[in-house]
Each structure stands twice: as structure tokens, then as C-alpha cells.
Amino acid sequence: MDVLILGSASASGSRERDNTYLLLQHDEGSWMIDVGGNPLGKLKQAEIPLHSIKGVILTHFHIDHIFGLPSLLWGMWLGKRKEPLIICCPQDHQDQLGDILRAYRTDEWPIGFEIKVQPFDCAEPGTLFVQGDMTVSVFTSLHAGSTSGIRVACGDKVLVYSADTAPSEWIRSQPRIDVLIHEATQARGDMSIHTSLEGILTFYPVDRIPQVIAIHLTDDEPYDEVLAQYKKTGTPGVLLAHDMMRVSL
Ligand SMILES: O=c1ccn([C@@H]2O[C@H](COP(=O)(O)O)[C@@H](O)[C@H]2O)c(=O)[nH]1
């Protein structure tokens, strides 16, 4: 299983990056986690056919994480999709999702495929679905409004994506993480609903996590300075995400 980082910017946008969203690429179907600005273009760049996408998982309903959804659906309609599309959505925002689809009048296009909404409770960590050797679960993130991080287990490997969150005790207490993709909205300092890169490096046992990738990055923040400072003290490599970065699990 691979994770393709389709966008890596924080909410305020970026000169070079799309807002943060990911693609879980799996032999039995891919899943988009959130939908940033240019899903159709990014999939074309990566030569990933739209029909390989089985569903979308929305971590929360802040606009930068969902605003590409209508475009994705439009592309699927133009592509004459017939297979159902699953949208996993925080249950607190199921009505809002319905409102968004109605506002775009998806029922009038007409879409030739079923949109199956699968609500989940952000306050109740648990399995979302199992697909072949991949188990996808959600856990509670510490953000503004109902937000879930995503845990993906594939074989004996574990990937955790924090979504937007303050430093999370749930993540810190995990016995095994092979890849941690964690938001770092700023380079330094304490934040109430987000984490800084400095926060990642000081709060988590990064020396025990083989790959740490900082995402949800803000232009002009001194991330490189922070990395250089912590490397001097022996912290192993932590990477900054960029759009179209591929991570294998
Ligand atoms: O209740 C809220 C809602 C939003 N904000 C601010 O907006 C951004 C939303 O984007 P995210 O990518 O989800 O972070 C958030 O960072 C806040 O700056 C807020 O403060 N409170």
C-alpha cells in the first residue's frame, strides 16, 4: 500500500502546494483522505484513473479539507462512473454533506453512480472498514469541531495520519507506528488546535518512528531551521511533505 500526498498546505493556502489531502493507494481500490483543490489534476499527474477510487474519507468539515469534493464528483460524472462511491463522513456533519451535495445539485447532473454516505463518530475510535490486508480506523483528533485522525494497518505495518490536531496522547501512546504523517501548521511554538514542527519533535518519541512526515505546512515558516536545530541534537530525519510525495507502507 502507498500513500500519495496530493496536497500539503495549511488552511491559509500556498504558492506551491494544494491544501492537505492524501490518497491511500491499494490494489483493491484507493481512498482519498479529504479533498483539496485540484483532485482531478493531481490524479492525472500521477496517472491514477478516477475509477480506481473506491471512496473518500473526510476527517473534518473545515473548508480547506472538503472544497475539492464537488470537483471530484464532477470528474467522476464526466468519466461516466457507474460504481458506487463511498463517502465516510463525521456523523455530526452528515447533514452538512447533504446540504453541500444539494447546493451543487448533484441529483440534477444526473450522476450515474450511487453516493453511499457512511457516517462515523469522531468521539468513538474504531474500524471504518477492512479491505483485503488493509484495516482503516479512525481516532479522535484535538481540533476545532468533530475531527478524526486515520490509522491504516497493512500486514504488520502501521501508518498514522494525525489530521488537524493539537499534540495527541492517543498517537503518542501507540505501541507501533511505522509512518507518522503529522500536521505542522507552524514551525515553532505551542498551538491550541494545531501542532508545530517543534511540537512534533518534542512531544512524540520520533526516535522510535522510522518515518515522520510533517504536513499541513504554512508558507514562509522556518521549518528548515527547526529541523537543523533538532538534527544537531541527534533527532533522526524528519521530512517535510511536498505535493506528489509517495510513501510506501
Ligand atoms: O472553529 C474554528 C474554525 C476555524 N478556525 C480557523 O480556521 C482554520 C481552519 O482550517 P484547518 O485546516 O482545519 O485548520 C483553523 O486552523 C483555524 O485557524 C478556528 O480557529 N476555529
Side-chain angles (χ1 to χ4, degrees), residues 57 120-122 124-128 136-140 148-151 170:
I57 305 168
F120 62 86
D121 184 354
C122 293
E124 282 292 325
T127 301
L128 263 188
V136 177
S137 321
V138 290
F139 61 90
T140 311
S148 283
I150 310 288
R151 177 185 187 274
W170 187 92

Side-chain angles (χ1 to χ4, degrees), residues 10-11 60 62-65 143-145 164 185 193-194 216:
S10 67
H60 65 301
H62 286 164
I63 301 308
D64 51 312
H65 295 263
H143 194 47
D164 285 4
T185 300
I193 58 170
H194 287 290
H216 203 266

Side-chain angles (χ1 to χ4, degrees), residues 23-45:
L23 188 74
L24 295 180
Q25 264 192 291
H26 186 268
D27 293 345
E28 295 180 29
S30 296
W31 291 79
M32 200 170 281
I33 301 180
D34 291 335
V35 193
N38 185 20
L40 304 177
K42 284 289 173 64
L43 292 172
K44 278 187 181 167
Q45 264 185 55

